[in-house]
Amino acid sequence: MRLVFTRDLIPGMLTGGEVTDVAGAVKLLKQGICLTQSQITKLQNWGVPFLYLDDGTDYDRIKFSGVDMIKINFAKVYQEIMHDVGHMFRYIKKFREVPVMQMKALADHKISLLVETIGALDYLLEMRCHSEHTFQHSLNVAVIAGVLGKWCGYQGEKLKNLVLAGLLHDIGKVVIPLSILDKPGYLSSAEFAIIKQHTAEGYQLVKTSQQISQDVKLSILQHHERMDGSGYPAGLAGDEINDGAKVIAIADIYEAMTSDRVYRSKMTPFEALNIIADQMFVGLKPEICLTFFDNMRNYLTGSSVALSNGLEAKVIAFDAKEKHVTRPILYVQNGTCIDLQKEALRIVGVYG
C-alpha cells in the first residue's frame, strides 16, 4: 500500500483500506473502491488528510524525502489526536463533565509533538477543511497557541498549560444549540448573546477541577476579552486579562479566519494576519501580535501563492519597513518581481 495526501489523489486510484472522517466516527469509503472525482472532492471537504492506496506497492519500501516524512508523521499524529478529541468532546456534551486527565495527557504528550514539529503551521493549514466541529477548531487552536507561545518565550509547564487552554477554550460550546453554532448566516443579537455564554459555560465545567491550573481556567473564561474593554463576558481591559487568554485570542482569530465555514470560505494567512493587524492596537496585545508577525514572515517566505490577476508567484521577501505580513515582495513565473505594497493586487491562495 502507498500513503497519499488527499490533495494528490486522481480518479481511478484504489483505496487500500476503509476510509473514515478525521474523527474516525463516519465511514466514508470501503477498501478497494476505485476513486471518482466526486469521491475525491468529498474526501477533501471532509478534511481527510491522507489515505492508503492499493496499488501493489510495498509501503515500507517507498522512499520519501525528509520533508515528506515529517508531513506524513504530522498528519498521522493529527488524525489520531482528532479521533481522541472528538470522542472526548462528545463525552463532555453528553455528561457535562470534562475528562481532565485524558485531556491533559493529550495536550502534554501528543499535541506537544505537533507543536514541536518544524513547519507545524504550514502542515496545519493542509489539515483545514469545511468543518463546524468545535473539537477540530479546538485542536487547531491548541497547536497554534503552542507555537505562538514558544515564540513568546513560554516553556515547560507554562507552555503545557497554554496548549491545554487552547484545547479547552471552547468547551462551553457543547451546551450551545447546534442550530446556532452551525447557522449558515449572520446571527441575530439574541443568538449572538447565547454564543457569548460559551466562555462562562466552559469555565463552569472546569472551575472545581484540582488538576487544571487557574491560568487555564482564566484563559477559557477570558479568551474573548479585549485590551480596550470591548470583549466579554466581563468587559475586562489591559492587565486585568490573563496572559494566556491574550495568546489564545490571537490563535483563535487566526484559526477561525483560515478555516472554511458554512457561511464563508477560508481566508489566506495574509488576509487573516491583516485582520489581526487591524485589531493590534485596539483589542489585542501588540507585543504578542508583533511576535506573531515577525515569525510568520519566516513561515511565509518561500510560499507559492496565487494572485488576484491569475498569476502564480513565490514570496521572496518582506519590506523591512513594513510592520505587518500582508504585502510581501513576490517573484512571478514570468521572471519579474512584484512589490505588493506598490501594486493593486491581492494574494488569493497559498500553496505552501
Side-chain angles (χ1 to χ4, degrees):
M1 290 193 292
R2 178 165 59 98
L3 185 148
V4 174
F5 282 90
T6 308
R7 67 174 188 276
D8 296 326
L9 295 173
I10 59 175
M13 291 179 167
L14 296 177
T15 58
E18 184 178 80
V19 183
T20 65
D21 70 327
V22 289
V26 180
K27 295 180 180 179
L28 302 177
L29 293 173
K30 297 179 180 179
Q31 181 178 354
I33 297 296
C34 183
L35 292 172
T36 65
Q37 184 57 57
S38 175
Q39 290 167 330
I40 292 171
T41 301
K42 179 181 179 182
L43 293 174
Q44 293 170 340
N45 288 340
W46 274 86
V48 177
F50 61 85
L51 67 157
Y52 289 99
L53 298 179
D54 184 2
D55 64 352
T57 302
D58 183 350
Y59 172 69
D60 292 330
R61 295 180 181 176
I62 296 173
K63 302 298 182 182
F64 292 102
S65 70
V67 172
D68 285 339
M69 285 307 303
I70 292 172
K71 190 181 298 186
I72 288 168
N73 289 332
F74 184 97
K76 284 182 178 179
V77 174
Y78 181 90
Q79 192 171 36
E80 291 170 3
I81 297 172
M82 182 61 65
H83 180 275
D84 292 341
V85 174
H87 176 75
M88 291 181 196
F89 268 70
R90 286 188 289 272
Y91 177 92
I92 296 169
K93 186 174 182 66
K94 182 175 182 179
F95 296 104
R96 297 296 192 266
E97 178 181 273
V98 180
V100 174
M101 298 311 295
Q102 293 95 318
M103 286 289 204
K104 282 179 65 67
L106 269 182
D108 291 353
H109 305 300
K110 289 191 175 182
I111 299 177
S112 61
L113 295 176
L114 302 183
V115 171
E116 296 296 333
T117 300
I118 297 173
L121 297 192
D122 288 333
Y123 303 147
L124 194 64
L125 278 175
E126 297 186 22
M127 303 293 113
R128 309 291 176 83
C129 63
H130 168 74
S131 174
E132 302 311 314
H133 293 305
T134 297
F135 64 82
Q136 184 168 20
H137 167 72
S138 298
L139 171 56
N140 294 344
V141 169
V143 176
I144 296 168
V147 173
L148 177 53
K150 285 178 57 183
W151 291 341
C152 292
Y154 284 51
Q155 54 186 321
E157 196 65 25
K158 187 176 181 181
L159 180 60
K160 289 181 179 179
N161 283 336
L162 185 64
V163 172
L164 181 62
L167 184 61
L168 297 177
H169 80 287
D170 267 355
I171 55 170
K173 286 185 177 178
V174 299
V175 307
I176 307 298
L178 288 177
S179 59
I180 296 177
L181 284 178
D182 296 351
K183 184 177 179 181
Y186 290 105
L187 298 174
S188 67
S189 56
E191 290 168 334
F192 186 57
I194 293 173
I195 284 284
K196 289 166 67 175
Q197 294 173 11
H198 80 274
T199 54
E201 293 284 1
Y203 179 74
Q204 289 298 318
L205 286 169
V206 300
K207 72 174 184 178
T208 61
S209 174
Q210 299 299 311
Q211 291 80 33
I212 296 180
S213 72
Q214 186 68 1
D215 277 340
V216 173
K217 295 174 184 178
L218 290 179
S219 292
I220 294 169
L221 179 64
Q222 298 175 2
H223 69 276
H224 279 289
E225 299 285 4
R226 294 297 180 258
M227 296 292 287
D228 61 351
S230 64
Y232 62 85
L236 302 180
D239 291 338
E240 295 176 316
I241 305 169
N242 175 267
D243 287 341
K246 296 171 186 175
V247 176
I248 300 296
I250 294 171
D252 188 27
I253 293 171
Y254 181 79
E255 201 289 328
M257 294 297 101
T258 54
S259 294
D260 281 321
R261 291 293 182 264
V262 67
Y263 50 85
R264 61 155 174 80
S265 297
K266 65 183 178 183
M267 298 180 184
T268 69
F270 297 93
E271 293 170 304
L273 291 168
N274 195 44
I275 289 174
I276 292 172
D278 287 341
Q279 300 181 35
M280 182 168 63
F281 294 106
V282 183
L284 304 176
K285 187 170 183 178
E287 293 87 344
I288 302 175
C289 292
L290 290 172
T291 297
F292 195 33
F293 296 150
D294 287 344
N295 285 275
M296 287 303 292
R297 286 189 180 91
N298 295 330
Y299 251 90
L300 294 170
T301 299
S303 296
S304 297
V305 299
L307 298 176
S308 54
N309 63 356
L311 292 176
E312 293 187 1
K314 187 175 288 290
V315 178
I316 59 173
F318 290 88
D319 191 321
K321 297 179 181 178
E322 196 198 0
K323 297 179 181 179
H324 312 317
V325 199
T326 55
R327 303 193 67 80
I329 300 170
L330 308 174
Y331 177 79
V332 187
Q333 285 181 331
N334 60 16
T336 62
C337 290
I338 294 177
D339 185 347
L340 288 187
Q341 293 190 72
K342 302 175 182 178
E343 300 285 344
L345 292 172
R346 294 180 300 107
I347 294 173
V348 296
V350 180
Y351 306 109

